[in-house]
Amino acid sequence: MLKSIDHIVILVNDLTAAIRDYDALGFTVVPGGEHSGGRSRNALVAFEDGTYLELVAFRDNEVPPDHHFFRSHGQEGLINYALLPTDIQADIDAARERGLGLNGPIPGGRVRPDGQQIQWQTAQATSHDLPFLCGDITPRELRVPDGFVLAHQNGATGVSALGIVVNDIETSRERYSALLGPDTVLDDIQEIEDRREVAFHVGGTLVVLAQPTGPGEARDYLESRGEGPYLLILSAKPNIRSDFNDMSRTHGVHLSLASDPLVVNSVGEEYAYIAGLSCSRCGGSYRVVRQSLSASPGKVPMDIIEVVCQKCGQSGMLHFDISRFFGR
């Protein structure tokens, strides 16, 4: 069973510079070590929700063509993301039975700076709109940092939302259905301004597939980089308003922070709060472009509202805790 997002992969040209820049943005960055074969090194930004960012750089600044992170554009930025399986072979077999071919399991590993050997297995799709699977052989706690490194000066606590740009929304929706199985409910396709979207949850993260239908950020990204993750929103502690607009500092990542859920007593309070917000970039007002409900068993029910500035187009996600009135 695929239960959550494991990590987000960010390709960088200079790992030392990326560590410095992400540290300056308020993240606690931990050196990860060298991968098997010595072709790449990484550093990690781990979060309270169990996910992490992987900053990865390849030797001579070249991703080998046979590596699943290789892209012809060769640019820095979001390159892929991984899901965490409970049994990687069972998940591969289940996906194949549903008509989706996955390559694997493929052995992988790295050596941490302290000499600790880490091993895992991956399963990789043949299209870049899909994530890969990353299942541990050695204990996961050896691979993923823990403890004080989960605290970040900017207040980041986890992966709130991930946007995936795709060529064809129907095809990608079918692929994700085959990968994730019947326990994951994918929304119907919706027409939203300059794109078509499908949204669903993987663990605590909202994943949105977007097919551009007109000019805009998603179209530009698809044309220059091809299918794959293009937008990353991190959850953060209340009242944190970090500005990540300088993509030279994020190394090509469209990155933003969203505050932890606001507890409200009604839908009216949600919209009143949004009406009182002003854009941090231009001072404009926001309007709602999408609202979705997250009400998984055992989880706090949430309204997740996507807003866009009516003046400059800056967008983001707001999370509202609706446990005080949901289902009553």
Side-chain angles (χ1 to χ4, degrees):
M1 180 179 178
L2 299 171
K3 56 185 180 180
S4 65
I5 286 181
D6 184 76
H7 66 281
I8 313 291
V9 182
I10 300 170
L11 181 67
V12 301
N13 293 333
D14 184 328
L15 187 60
T16 300
I19 292 172
R20 181 185 64 244
D21 290 336
Y22 272 77
D23 178 76
L25 289 170
F27 294 103
T28 302
V29 188
V30 179
E34 184 173 283
H35 289 102
S36 300
R39 297 195 293 182
S40 58
R41 298 182 300 123
N42 70 2
L44 312 177
V45 178
F47 301 119
E48 294 176 9
D49 69 350
T51 64
Y52 66 93
L53 308 181
E54 177 187 11
L55 307 173
V56 60
F58 284 77
R59 181 191 299 167
D60 299 325
N61 196 24
E62 292 186 5
V63 183
D66 63 340
H67 198 284
H68 69 114
F69 292 164
F70 174 80
R71 304 290 186 272
S72 59
H73 58 73
Q75 300 177 57
E76 290 188 301
L78 294 169
I79 206 71
N80 208 336
Y81 72 107
L83 302 183
L84 180 65
T86 52
D87 183 330
I88 191 169
Q89 186 63 65
D91 288 323
I92 292 172
D93 292 342
R96 287 173 177 167
E97 289 178 3
R98 292 188 288 264
L100 180 68
L102 294 176
N103 298 321
I106 301 167
R110 61 178 162 89
V111 181
R112 295 191 327 198
D114 62 2
Q116 174 68 54
Q117 297 271 351
I118 305 169
Q119 294 180 305
W120 59 76
Q121 293 177 319
T122 61
Q124 300 161 12
T126 57
S127 59
H128 297 323
D129 57 337
L130 291 175
F132 64 101
L133 313 186
C134 184
D136 293 286
I137 297 176
T138 51
R140 188 173 188 266
E141 54 263 30
L142 296 180
R143 177 169 62 91
V144 185
D146 200 356
F148 72 93
V149 299
L150 302 182
H152 303 280
Q153 188 178 21
N154 59 26
T157 58
V159 178
S160 175
L162 183 64
I164 313 295
V165 67
V166 302
N167 288 319
D168 183 87
I169 198 76
E170 285 90 354
T171 299
S172 291
R173 190 183 191 282
E174 290 179 3
R175 289 171 178 164
Y176 271 87
S177 294
L179 176 64
L180 299 173
D183 292 335
T184 299
V185 179
L186 278 68
D187 290 350
D188 293 332
I189 296 171
Q190 297 193 23
E191 305 284 342
I192 302 178
E193 295 187 337
D194 60 353
R195 60 197 183 277
R196 305 174 72 201
E197 288 189 353
V198 166
F200 54 95
H201 283 84
V202 179
T205 301
L206 176 69
V207 179
V208 180
L209 309 181
Q211 175 193 339
T213 56
E217 184 178 275
R219 168 64 61 82
D220 293 343
Y221 197 95
L222 182 63
E223 291 180 348
S224 64
R225 300 174 63 99
E227 292 186 302
Y230 79 104
L231 176 68
L232 175 61
I233 300 175
L234 302 178
S235 56
K237 294 178 179 178
N239 302 320
I240 299 296
R241 295 292 185 270
S242 296
D243 187 356
F244 298 101
N245 290 330
D246 184 353
M247 290 179 61
S248 68
R249 301 180 70 197
T250 63
H251 291 256
V253 180
H254 290 277
L255 175 62
S256 61
L257 268 67
S259 294
D260 277 348
L262 298 173
V263 179
V264 293
N265 295 297
S266 68
V267 173
E269 281 192 20
E270 298 174 357
Y271 281 77
Y273 178 82
I274 293 169
L277 290 177
S278 59
C279 176
S280 61
R281 181 186 295 171
C282 71
S285 59
Y286 288 103
R287 65 180 178 84
V288 174
V289 295
R290 181 186 181 86
Q291 181 171 352
S292 61
L293 172 67
S294 174
S296 303
K299 300 285 187 179
V300 174
M302 298 284 175
D303 265 347
I304 302 171
I305 299 181
E306 181 181 354
V307 297
V308 62
C309 175
Q310 299 183 79
K311 186 175 180 180
C312 72
Q314 177 173 257
S315 62
M317 299 280 191
L318 294 172
H319 290 61
F320 295 94
D321 178 343
I322 58 174
S323 57
R324 290 181 178 177
F325 66 92
F326 178 73
R328 298 177 186 174

